[in-house]
Amino acid sequence: RSTSAKRQQAIHHVRRAAAAMSPVRSLLLACLVGLAAGKKNEDPRDCEVCRAVIGQIDELVTPAERKTVEGIEAVMQKYCDSAKGKEKTMCYYMGIGDKELGTAGGVKREVSGSLSRGINAKRLCTRMKKQDAQMCELRYEKKVDVKNTDLSKLRVKELRKICDDEGIPTKGFNEKGEFIKAIKDKFGIKDEM
């Protein structure tokens, strides 16, 4: 037989089997196929700041403080008072503010209650994502591997950020080459000829 004849015979068998299948089975099969196709791979960066902050707070809590939510909230406040950058923003979202920022309402009591019951950071952040999505949208900026990156292809804004992160003084820099030279000097990268 030719390939097209075999293909038509296979299609005929599939149609006959589908017609013989009950509507309930067809619906069940469609649901299973939909579930298999709809399963997404989890983004490793999803909720990364939330997991980091709550994980660090969880490590700081002593067994004696873990017995009351007030004890856990005191540790949370102490952590957030010294936090900076994305961690400070996460504290704001959780409702643990300071005199300058205040809070965004937050879920402070839910976090402290969950930590007192031993719920881990990943599970807690996933649960809070359903209530307040912005907590999981907060992400760390990607670090640039200076030694393995072609600095000339980066924008001046990115070069300035590297300099700021590494404490390289940039006052008076006007040219992209000046930023690149300062970064290379700091990391001991030699120019290739």
Side-chain angles (χ1 to χ4, degrees):
R1 287 186 186 188
S2 69
T3 334
S4 62
K6 289 180 184 178
R7 189 177 302 142
Q8 284 191 349
Q9 185 179 10
I11 291 171
H12 175 71
H13 286 297
V14 169
R15 283 185 181 157
R16 196 169 1 149
M21 205 182 292
S22 71
V24 175
R25 284 185 180 169
S26 300
L27 183 63
L28 182 63
L29 180 64
C31 288
L32 288 173
V33 169
L35 284 173
K39 187 175 181 182
K40 298 176 186 172
N41 290 338
E42 188 176 315
D43 183 6
R45 294 188 65 210
D46 196 32
C47 297
E48 68 181 345
V49 177
C50 178
R51 287 195 310 254
V53 168
I54 292 178
Q56 289 171 2
I57 290 171
D58 193 24
E59 289 174 7
L60 294 173
V61 176
T62 64
E65 292 166 328
R66 197 174 295 279
K67 291 179 181 175
T68 65
V69 289
E70 291 82 10
I72 294 172
E73 287 173 4
V75 173
M76 291 166 71
Q77 186 67 52
K78 185 177 177 184
Y79 173 84
C80 289
D81 286 343
S82 64
K84 290 181 175 43
K86 301 285 185 186
E87 289 84 1
K88 188 74 164 179
T89 307
M90 185 64 202
C91 288
Y92 175 79
Y93 290 163
M94 287 192 303
I96 308 161
D98 58 7
K99 291 157 188 80
E100 298 165 19
L101 280 177
T103 67
V107 289
K108 179 165 115 177
R109 187 52 56 115
E110 183 174 336
V111 172
S112 60
S114 296
L115 288 175
S116 71
R117 291 189 303 276
I119 295 175
N120 68 19
K122 183 177 180 181
R123 184 170 172 204
L124 182 55
C125 289
T126 304
R127 186 183 292 175
M128 288 192 309
K129 180 180 182 179
K130 294 172 187 165
Q131 292 178 334
D132 190 0
Q134 69 181 352
M135 295 178 106
C136 280
E137 291 168 358
L138 195 60
R139 294 184 175 186
Y140 292 114
E141 284 147 23
K142 291 182 179 176
K143 286 278 189 186
V144 176
D145 182 11
V146 178
K147 294 185 179 187
N148 297 322
T149 302
D150 185 359
L151 297 173
S152 64
K153 292 187 179 179
L154 296 178
R155 295 175 175 222
V156 172
K157 181 179 181 180
E158 295 168 312
L159 294 170
R160 181 175 282 123
K161 174 140 182 30
I162 292 169
C163 289
D164 290 344
D165 290 347
E166 297 298 327
I168 301 169
T170 59
K171 190 169 185 168
F173 285 6
N174 295 322
E175 301 292 325
K176 184 175 184 175
E178 294 172 314
F179 287 99
I180 293 172
K181 183 180 180 323
I183 293 169
K184 285 182 175 181
D185 290 345
K186 167 79 176 185
F187 288 96
I189 301 170
K190 300 205 179 346
D191 285 324
E192 295 168 9
M193 300 276 168

